[in-house]
Amino acid sequence: MPPRWPRKPDRKDPAYRRLDDRMNFALHVAIFAVVNSGLWFFRVLGETSELGAPGGFLWTPLVTAGWGTFLVAHAVFIFAIARYEDSSPTSAPASGTGFQPKSEKKPSKTKR
């Protein structure tokens, strides 16, 4: 069963964005594992040369190395570079309003 999100999913929510990025990374790892295991299976299953080296798809190591490089880069971004603070822009005051201190109403002291 997929994880349940307790509120409406919104990509602007930092916690949801972090979870979504990690789930996408997990999916990326799963697809990498499935595709590359199939490629290596058929490479080993292919005909062997006179030296006993596997035949099959000659480009399998290049695909695995290239895709693995992108997978490592994805992991570095997700776990080390990405910052998930609240990135929603704060509304700036209109020009010319300057500093407006909050009016604090202090209770008036009455003498009895």
Side-chain angles (χ1 to χ4, degrees), residues 75-95:
V76 167
F77 177 76
I78 294 298
F79 297 108
I81 297 174
R83 298 287 173 239
Y84 295 102
E85 290 87 27
D86 189 15
S87 61
S88 60
T90 57
S91 60
S95 63

Side-chain angles (χ1 to χ4, degrees), residues 29-90:
V29 170
I31 292 171
F32 173 83
V34 168
V35 170
N36 280 289
S37 65
L39 287 175
W40 282 96
F41 175 77
F42 286 111
R43 177 179 167 85
V44 171
L45 194 65
E47 295 182 20
T48 56
S49 66
E50 297 84 31
L51 300 174
F57 304 121
L58 299 175
W59 41 265
T60 303
L62 295 174
V63 170
T64 301
W67 197 347
T69 302
F70 282 111
L71 190 63
V72 167
H74 191 179
V76 167
F77 177 76
I78 294 298
F79 297 108
I81 297 174
R83 298 287 173 239
Y84 295 102
E85 290 87 27
D86 189 15
S87 61
S88 60
T90 57

